[in-house]
Amino acid sequence: MARKLLLEHVQVPGINTFEVYRQKGGYLAVEKALKTMSPEDVVEEVKKSGLRGRGGAGFPTGMKWSFLAKPEGVPRYLVCNADESEPGTFKDRYLMTYIPHALIEGMIVASYALGANTSYIYVRGEMMPQIRILEKAIEEAKAAGFLGANILGTGYNLELYVQPGGGAYICGEETALLESLEGKRGNPRIKPPFPAVAGLYNCPTVVNNVESIAATVPILNIGGEEYAKIGIERSTGTKLISASGNINKPGVYEIELGLPVEEFIYSDEYCGGIANGKRLKAVVAGGSSVPILPANLILKTAKGENRLMTYESLADGGFATGTMLGSGGFIVFDEDQCIVRNTWNFARFYHHESCGQCSPCREGTGWMEKVLHRLEYGHGKMSDIDLLVDVSKKIEGNTICPLGDAAAWPVASAIRHFRDEFEWHITHRDEAQIGNYGLAHYADPLTVAG
């Protein structure tokens, strides 16, 4: 049975309340940090753990904290990015709904480590139930003396606020989030300066994902070195995975990093295999913005090695034959799913969510949506396939924020691995309207050279 650090007590009745959370060892990390450790000690412990950002980028959390500028007399801020908008990703919402105090405790620990006396949880505007749950948890923590002035008599002060977002995917990008938090339109800022130097209200700021912040609690409880023993290589600890699509048991799972992808999909402990006895066709492993992989490349690397649920193994082969762990939005497609239709659906989302600040993204996402619509509905030409590749290249790397890349990668990878399916939509226009291309060779074992 895999070790669980964040979801160990998720089934305990009343775990969403302060009283039950406390009975299960809650807020011990706060006591340990504030009473026995300096802020620098906490940062060092997170560095030792090897924790990497769980929002998608995978940047080492302790290192990110250590970059925070500390000018005299200037406030510092911690902002939790709970604007979970990536299609296929719902693990942060799950955590906030069922164990809100795990996030509140993590916010206190991380704020102390960073020297922040005011911190914010920026929650996706559509998540009103979760916003109310968090506000109640903050009230409970404050009543128990874990928030406010002179916490636990240590002299440390912290005020924590929940801020509803504007309902835009772009606000998941940290600088757009900060703009929105300041009451402005959520447009990404040009970097540098980075938030660590000039973030919220032009003050030093750290923006971290919900899961990243919550993970600091078990790190302090068991120690950074012990946490680093879980997982493999530079993928340490546990990770929450949002599993959806054509599987028998969709839901949020906490895995130890290093679990084979095949075991995650087919074992009863996790996804329970492909629904309705179908065969696996493709997987989007880390939310809609990461490259899609056919069945044979998601289960094995191009070298024929077992693909693992780690940052390194999923990225093995680069974008030619690999993908990314990203936010952990694991979407499974069976043999009846249409890749062209799915790619068009993703393209519609990115076109709708583009803030319009950068013309390659503003115009390019619209072009991709139109061309994919044409292909899906039987009006495409062979030249459209190369046009899509060309447009995706014009977008990638040419925008202020990563939304352009997020829009380009799914289209480019779908054509890279499923080009024959795109061609079939053009050569079998009528058939494509009533049926799907099917599995073809996507699940065939790879022929590995030498």
Side-chain angles (χ1 to χ4, degrees), residues 366-385:
W367 269 101
M368 290 198 299
E369 183 194 343
K370 285 174 191 167
V371 176
L372 282 161
H373 179 275
R374 210 154 65 200
L375 288 166
E376 171 61 16
Y377 286 96
H379 307 295
K381 307 177 294 224
M382 281 296 179
S383 59
D384 284 341
I385 300 174

Side-chain angles (χ1 to χ4, degrees), residues 74-85:
V74 176
R76 296 169 224 149
Y77 296 103
L78 170 65
V79 178
C80 173
N81 184 349
D83 188 72
E84 187 173 50
S85 316

Side-chain angles (χ1 to χ4, degrees), residues 283-327:
V283 169
V284 173
S288 66
S289 61
V290 309
I292 188 171
L293 285 185
N296 47 21
L297 279 176
I298 193 67
L299 299 179
K300 302 269 187 189
T301 68
K303 300 169 192 164
E305 298 165 353
N306 285 337
R307 186 83 74 175
L308 308 178
M309 298 286 278
T310 67
Y311 294 94
E312 292 78 23
S313 181
L314 283 168
D316 187 276
F319 279 2
T321 58
T323 183
M324 298 161 70
L325 181 60
S327 61

Side-chain angles (χ1 to χ4, degrees), residues 138-196:
I138 288 170
E139 285 173 19
E140 290 177 335
K142 199 164 190 174
F146 284 91
L147 280 170
N150 194 23
I151 298 172
L152 304 179
T154 61
Y156 176 62
N157 309 323
L158 177 64
E159 293 297 334
L160 184 55
Y161 301 99
V162 179
Q163 175 62 43
Y169 173 74
I170 194 68
C171 290
E173 195 278 333
E174 61 179 11
T175 61
L177 185 157
L178 296 175
E179 288 284 290
S180 178
L181 196 51
E182 291 177 7
K184 295 179 273 192
R185 178 185 168 91
N187 278 3
R189 299 173 182 172
I190 294 173
K191 295 185 279 193
F194 290 90

Side-chain angles (χ1 to χ4, degrees), residues 39-331:
E40 292 75 23
D41 290 338
V42 178
V43 174
E44 199 53 41
E45 212 60 41
V46 174
K47 275 187 178 176
K48 281 183 200 169
S49 74
L51 176 69
R52 295 170 67 172
R54 302 303 199 219
F59 191 81
T61 304
M63 192 182 296
K64 186 174 185 177
W65 289 6
S66 67
F67 291 158
L68 187 69
K70 298 176 181 176
E72 283 293 319
V74 176
R76 296 169 224 149
Y77 296 103
L78 170 65
V79 178
C80 173
N81 184 349
D83 188 72
E84 187 173 50
S85 316
E86 180 84 353
T89 309
F90 43 90
K91 44 112 182 156
D92 292 342
R93 180 175 62 182
Y94 184 87
L95 198 65
M96 291 186 288
T97 303
Y98 297 107
I99 323 179
H101 283 282
L103 175 57
I104 306 305
E105 183 176 11
M107 287 295 291
I108 300 166
V109 167
S111 298
Y112 173 71
L114 297 165
N117 300 114
T118 304
S119 295
Y120 297 90
I121 305 174
Y122 182 95
V123 186
R124 183 163 177 76
E126 289 86 341
M127 295 187 194
M128 287 312 297
Q130 286 72 27
I131 289 168
R132 285 191 281 270
I133 288 166
L134 288 173
E135 286 175 339
K136 185 182 177 202
I138 288 170
E139 285 173 19
E140 290 177 335
K142 199 164 190 174
F146 284 91
L147 280 170
N150 194 23
I151 298 172
L152 304 179
T154 61
Y156 176 62
N157 309 323
L158 177 64
E159 293 297 334
L160 184 55
Y161 301 99
V162 179
Q163 175 62 43
Y169 173 74
I170 194 68
C171 290
E173 195 278 333
E174 61 179 11
T175 61
L177 185 157
L178 296 175
E179 288 284 290
S180 178
L181 196 51
E182 291 177 7
K184 295 179 273 192
R185 178 185 168 91
N187 278 3
R189 299 173 182 172
I190 294 173
K191 295 185 279 193
F194 290 90
V197 176
L200 186 65
Y201 307 124
N202 215 32
C203 296
T205 305
V206 166
V207 182
N208 276 138
N209 172 259
V210 171
E211 187 187 347
S212 308
I213 292 170
T216 61
V217 174
I219 287 169
L220 254 63
N221 285 335
I222 68 174
E225 288 181 3
E226 196 61 33
Y227 185 89
K229 290 176 185 174
I230 304 168
I232 58 171
E233 298 172 349
R234 291 188 303 111
S235 296
T236 62
T238 65
K239 174 88 182 79
L240 298 182
I241 304 293
S242 316
S244 65
N246 304 122
I247 48 177
N248 285 311
K249 293 166 61 183
V252 175
Y253 295 98
E254 184 172 10
I255 66 164
E256 290 186 21
L257 287 167
L259 178 78
V261 172
E262 190 164 6
E263 186 179 336
F264 180 67
I265 295 174
Y266 290 101
S267 76
D268 288 335
E269 188 179 348
Y270 300 108
C271 300
I274 310 302
N276 304 314
K278 302 282 186 183
R279 292 179 69 194
L280 175 66
K281 179 174 183 176
V283 169
V284 173
S288 66
S289 61
V290 309
I292 188 171
L293 285 185
N296 47 21
L297 279 176
I298 193 67
L299 299 179
K300 302 269 187 189
T301 68
K303 300 169 192 164
E305 298 165 353
N306 285 337
R307 186 83 74 175
L308 308 178
M309 298 286 278
T310 67
Y311 294 94
E312 292 78 23
S313 181
L314 283 168
D316 187 276
F319 279 2
T321 58
T323 183
M324 298 161 70
L325 181 60
S327 61
F330 199 87
I331 310 169

Side-chain angles (χ1 to χ4, degrees), residues 426-447:
I426 296 160
T427 57
H428 297 73
R429 298 173 193 277
D430 295 335
E431 196 179 339
Q433 302 308 299
I434 55 171
N436 289 319
Y437 184 62
L439 202 57
H441 56 277
Y442 306 134
D444 297 345
L446 288 174
T447 305

